[in-house]
Amino acid sequence: MKATLTGIITEALHSVAADGLLQESDITVPFIELTRDRKFGDYATNVAMVLASHINGNPRQFAQALADRILETDNGENIDKVEIAGPGFINITMSGDYWVKAVRRVLTEGSRYADSNTGQGKRVQVEFVSANPTGPLHVGHGRGAAMGDALANVLEAAGFDVQREYYINDAGNQIENLGQSVYARYLELFGNQVDFPEGGYQGDYIKEIADDLKATLGDRHLHKSHDSVVQEISEYASHRILADIKEDLEQFGVRFDRWFSEKSLFDGNEVKQALEEMESRGHIYREDDAVWFRSTRMDDDKDRVVIKADGSLTYFASDVAYHRNKFNRGFERVINIWGADHHGYVDRMKAAVVALGKQKEDLQILLVQFVNLLRHGKPVAMSTRAGEFVTLREVREEVGRDAARFIFLTRKADSKLDFDLDLAKERSNDNPVFYVQYAHARICSIIRNAEQTGISLPEPEDADLAMLVLPEEKELIRHLAALPDVVDGAALALEPHRLTNYLRDISTTLHNYYYHHRVLTDDADLTTARLALVTAVRIAVRKALTLLGVTAPERM
RNA sequence: GCCCUCGUAGCUCAGUCGGAUAGAGCACAGGAUUCCUAAUCCUGGGGCCGCAGGUUCGAAUCCUGCCGGGGGCACCA
C-alpha cells in the first residue's frame, strides 16, 4: 500500500522540480514511514529535510510547496490531509477509502498477501545448519535451522528464487576421528582394553552405534586390519548420524533442496581446479613448503595455507572449492548461516570469493549467536567436547516444535538468546508463542460462531468496510497494511525476527479489540464488516506465522 | 596484543535510510469477566541509550578514542 504513496510523492517531487525549486537530478526515492504517533497522521516523510542541502530556502517552505503538489497529484483519491510539522516533516493522513482498499486487498490476495517482487527472481542460495555428521544436532543448530528456514521463506515471499542447502563435511579428519571413537567402543564391547583416541567423541551415541555394530556384524570387525576397519566404521557411523540429523530436521519442519557432499568436491577434482583458478588469477604463492592464498590482499588479517607442507589440503581449501561451485551454479547471492564460533572465518571466506572474481557482497555471512538454555531460571550446563549437551530433539520433544521455532526467532542472529524451557512450555500470556497463536485461534473461534448462527464469511466486495471507524479498528488496519513492508524489510536486512515482533504487536491489537468490542453484533452490516476485518487479520497472522515455520492453530 | 561483535528501564530485548516526546515483554503495584475462548484486557511508576569527543539543521543510530561482556586470532576440523 505504501507503494501508492511513494508514487504520489515521487510525482509531486518531479512537479516541484519542474517549477525550479529542485534539481531533477537530486530526486531520490522518498523515505516514508508509518507514524508511531497518530497525531502525526498515518505516514510521514522527511524528504524535505533530506533534500534541504539541495534547495534554496528552508525545509519548511519547501515542504509546504511539496505538500500542495502532493494533494494536487493525488486529487482526493487516497489522501485526506497533508500537514507540515516540526523542522519539516510532511505528515500525511490517508482517506477512509484508502484504508478500505487496504483491507480489501488482504482479503483478495489471501495467502499471497505481502508477497512481493522485490527480489525480481534473483537466484539466492541459503546454506545453513551444515553440522558435521559426527554427532546429533544440538540446540544451537536448532537456532540456525529455524533462522535459515525462516529467512529462506521470507526471501521467497519477497520474490527471490531461493535454494536451501546443507553442506556435509564428510571428507575431513573428524570423520576419521568419529570412526576411531566408535571402533574403540566396539573393541571395548569384546572386553578389549583400548586407549580411547585423544580428542575422540565422548557422547553416549558413540556407544549406541558400537552396540548396533556388534548386534548386526558380531565380531567380524575384530579380525580385519585396523585401517580398513576404521574407514568402514567411519562411513557407517557418519551415514547413520546423518540419517538422524535428516530425521531431526524433518521433524523440526525444515527441508533442504540439496544435501551437498564435501567428498564430491574431491571426487570431481574441484578442489584442485579451484586452487588452479586462484593461481591463474595470481592469488597463490609458495613458501616454507606450503601453498598459500594471499588473502591479505582482500582485507584478511593474514595469508592462509591451502596445501600444507606435507601435501595435504586444508579444510579451507575445500571451502574455497565449495564456494566456487556455488557461484558456478549460477547463484547471484550466497548466504551462509554459521555459528558464532566460525567468526574468524568470515574474512578469509569473503577474500576467497573476491579472489574468484566475485564481489565481497555476493557472499553474506550471518553469524548465529549461542543459545543459553535456562531451566528453573538457571543455565543448563553444556559442553560439546564432553558430550554433555542438550540436543535439538530433546528440546523439541519437551517444548514442541512451534514454541522452539518461535523462540529461536525472537532475536536477531547476532544477539545471544536466552531460551527458558519452562516458559516455552507454559500456556500463559507470558509465552509469546501461545499469545500469538491464541490470537489466530480466537479469530477462528469467532468465525465458527458466526457460521453456526448462519452468518457466512463475506466476500471482500460485499462488506461495507467504511463502517470500521473505531480507533481499535483503524489500528488493526494499519497493522495489516504494514505487513508487506515488514516482510520486505526482513528479507533485505536478513532479519526474520522482525516478523515475531510484528506478530506480537498485531496480536496485542487484536486481543485489545476483542476485549472491548464484539464482532458478532445485532447489526448485520456491522457484523459483516467486522468479520471481514478479523478475517483479514487472520490472513496476516497466519502468513507471518507460516513464514516463520510456526503453525496457526484453529483452536487451542 | 590484534580483529569482529554487543552495551538501551530492575531483567530480556525492539528501535526501519540519521528525525518529532526512545518503545515492548517480564517483574512490581492496582483494577477489569451477565455477552464471540480470562491462554485475555486496562491503568501506573520506572531511562546519563556504557563514557568522552566529533560530523549534522537534527545522533540510541554515522566517525574516533576509552571502559565492560562475548567471540575469533592454526600448515586444527
Side-chain angles (χ1 to χ4, degrees):
Chain A
M1 288 305 290
K2 212 169 80 176
T4 315
L5 195 54
T6 307
I8 293 169
I9 296 177
T10 304
E11 206 180 316
L13 280 169
H14 285 290
S15 169
V16 167
D19 292 346
L21 288 176
L22 177 72
Q23 293 289 321
E24 188 77 21
S25 58
D26 289 332
I27 296 176
T28 52
V29 180
F31 174 67
I32 302 165
E33 63 177 357
L34 261 174
T35 54
R36 59 181 172 77
D37 192 325
R38 290 288 303 284
K39 80 173 181 226
F40 298 134
D42 294 313
Y43 293 100
T45 179
N46 61 358
V47 268
M49 291 177 289
V50 171
L51 294 173
S53 58
H54 298 291
I55 55 175
N56 299 322
N58 72 53
R60 280 191 65 104
Q61 278 168 359
F62 179 78
Q64 190 55 57
L66 186 58
D68 294 343
R69 291 309 177 127
I70 287 171
L71 278 174
E72 224 168 87
T73 306
D74 178 58
N75 203 18
E77 231 182 288
N78 304 285
I79 298 172
D80 235 22
K81 200 166 57 172
V82 181
E83 289 170 315
I84 312 302
F89 287 99
I90 300 175
N91 293 332
I92 302 169
T93 305
M94 308 307 287
S95 64
D97 200 37
Y98 172 88
W99 296 114
V100 164
K101 279 188 281 185
V103 178
R104 194 157 286 153
R105 188 177 146 200
V106 180
L107 296 168
T108 309
E109 297 187 0
S111 62
R112 294 188 323 278
Y113 180 62
D115 287 349
S116 77
N117 191 31
T118 305
Q120 299 183 310
K122 229 174 145 180
R123 293 192 63 209
V124 178
Q125 190 211 47
V126 182
E127 182 222 317
F128 59 113
V129 188
S130 301
N132 289 356
T134 53
L137 296 178
H138 53 69
V139 210
H141 296 128
R143 186 176 182 190
M147 181 66 65
D149 192 46
L151 185 60
N153 289 340
V154 165
L155 286 167
E156 265 164 4
F160 290 90
D161 180 7
V162 183
Q163 199 223 32
R164 298 138 197 262
E165 185 154 306
Y166 186 116
Y167 182 56
I168 309 165
N169 291 107
D170 52 5
N173 293 339
Q174 289 308 312
I175 298 294
E176 153 124 14
N177 186 4
L178 171 71
Q180 298 280 13
S181 306
V182 173
Y183 185 51
R185 295 297 182 215
Y186 173 79
L187 291 178
E188 280 173 10
L189 290 174
F190 292 94
N192 297 8
Q193 275 293 67
V194 287
D195 294 329
F196 195 74
E198 202 171 319
Y201 292 95
Q202 296 281 1
D204 288 342
Y205 64 95
I206 298 292
K207 289 176 189 159
E208 281 170 35
I209 296 172
D211 278 339
D212 288 354
L213 215 51
K214 184 186 174 190
T216 52
L217 297 173
D219 61 358
R220 243 181 61 198
H221 281 330
L222 283 182
H223 313 297
K224 293 188 189 163
S225 78
H226 180 273
D227 283 357
S228 74
V229 160
V230 168
Q231 208 201 331
E232 216 173 305
I233 292 180
S234 294
E235 223 162 276
Y236 171 83
S238 64
H239 279 121
R240 200 184 126 152
I241 291 172
L242 186 60
D244 277 349
I245 288 174
K246 286 184 177 180
E247 166 76 14
D248 268 353
L249 289 168
E250 200 179 312
Q251 294 292 324
F252 200 50
V254 176
R255 62 168 184 83
F256 287 89
D257 298 306
R258 182 159 178 187
W259 299 76
F260 193 99
S261 155
E262 179 187 9
K263 212 174 356 177
S264 74
L265 291 169
F266 290 99
D267 296 344
N269 211 24
E270 289 187 61
V271 181
K272 189 163 168 259
Q273 288 165 17
L275 297 183
E276 280 166 4
E277 183 175 339
M278 291 235 274
E279 177 150 34
S280 72
R281 288 170 179 272
H283 298 297
I284 294 289
Y285 66 96
R286 285 168 181 77
E287 196 175 290
D288 300 335
D289 297 327
V291 178
W292 297 72
F293 165 40
R294 198 185 302 279
S295 58
T296 46
R297 194 184 287 162
M298 267 75 65
D299 294 337
D300 194 12
D301 285 352
K302 53 185 79 165
D303 290 341
R304 307 293 170 177
V305 169
V306 285
I307 304 177
K308 298 182 234 175
D310 67 3
S312 64
L313 290 152
T314 60
Y315 180 81
F316 179 59
S318 51
D319 258 356
V320 172
Y322 179 41
H323 283 77
R324 174 172 171 270
N325 177 292
K326 290 185 184 194
F327 285 109
N328 284 350
R329 274 186 271 160
F331 295 112
E332 294 172 68
R333 276 173 75 193
V334 166
I335 300 170
N336 293 352
I337 298 182
W338 288 352
D341 52 334
H342 286 67
H343 182 232
Y345 234 74
V346 173
D347 282 347
R348 77 188 73 166
M349 205 64 251
K350 288 198 173 216
V353 166
V354 174
L356 291 169
K358 294 288 165 186
Q359 300 292 313
K360 202 173 172 181
E361 301 75 36
D362 295 340
L363 172 68
Q364 287 173 293
I365 298 175
L366 232 53
L367 295 176
V368 179
Q369 276 289 348
F370 297 115
V371 177
N372 186 26
L373 269 188
L374 300 170
R375 192 188 290 285
H376 311 313
K378 288 186 188 132
V380 179
M382 278 193 278
S383 152
T384 313
R385 273 279 160 70
E388 289 167 12
F389 47 80
V390 180
T391 62
L392 172 60
R393 184 169 299 185
E394 285 163 346
V395 170
R396 178 172 53 73
E397 285 171 354
E398 181 170 346
V399 310
R401 168 174 143 183
D402 283 344
R405 290 191 66 140
F406 193 95
I407 291 170
F408 282 141
L409 294 168
T410 51
R411 304 273 177 260
K412 64 179 161 204
D414 58 12
S415 65
K416 278 170 288 176
L417 174 72
D418 283 344
F419 191 124
D420 187 327
L421 288 162
D422 304 300
L423 178 62
K425 280 184 291 188
E426 230 172 81
R427 305 180 150 246
S428 74
N429 54 343
D430 297 352
N431 184 337
V433 193
F434 281 95
Y435 184 84
V436 169
Q437 288 186 320
Y438 185 48
H440 184 268
R442 205 164 220 186
I443 296 169
C444 293
S445 170
I446 297 170
I447 292 168
R448 274 195 302 274
N449 281 320
E451 282 167 345
Q452 266 167 28
T453 51
I455 308 166
S456 55
L457 275 190
E459 291 298 317
E461 57 276 10
D462 290 345
D464 182 8
L465 299 171
M467 296 179 79
L468 303 171
V469 294
L470 295 169
E472 292 92 337
E473 289 166 339
K474 180 74 179 292
E475 262 324 286
L476 278 174
I477 296 170
R478 277 163 58 91
H479 277 103
L480 289 175
L483 184 58
D485 292 324
V486 174
V487 173
D488 263 3
L492 295 175
L494 310 183
E495 293 182 350
H497 78 277
R498 293 185 188 196
L499 281 165
T500 55
N501 291 340
Y502 172 82
L503 278 166
R504 212 206 34 235
D505 289 347
I506 193 173
S507 299
T508 298
T509 313
L510 186 274
H511 287 311
N512 183 7
Y513 178 56
Y514 175 91
Y515 189 81
H516 291 101
H517 306 284
R518 289 186 58 82
V519 172
L520 309 177
T521 65
D522 297 335
D523 182 335
D525 290 338
L526 186 61
T527 299
T528 302
R530 289 183 173 176
L531 267 178
L533 174 62
V534 296
T535 301
V537 174
R538 179 171 72 163
I539 287 167
V541 170
R542 187 189 283 164
K543 176 73 174 194
L545 281 171
T546 304
L547 290 176
L548 296 177
V550 178
T551 62
E554 307 218 337
R555 45 180 101 227
M556 290 171 72

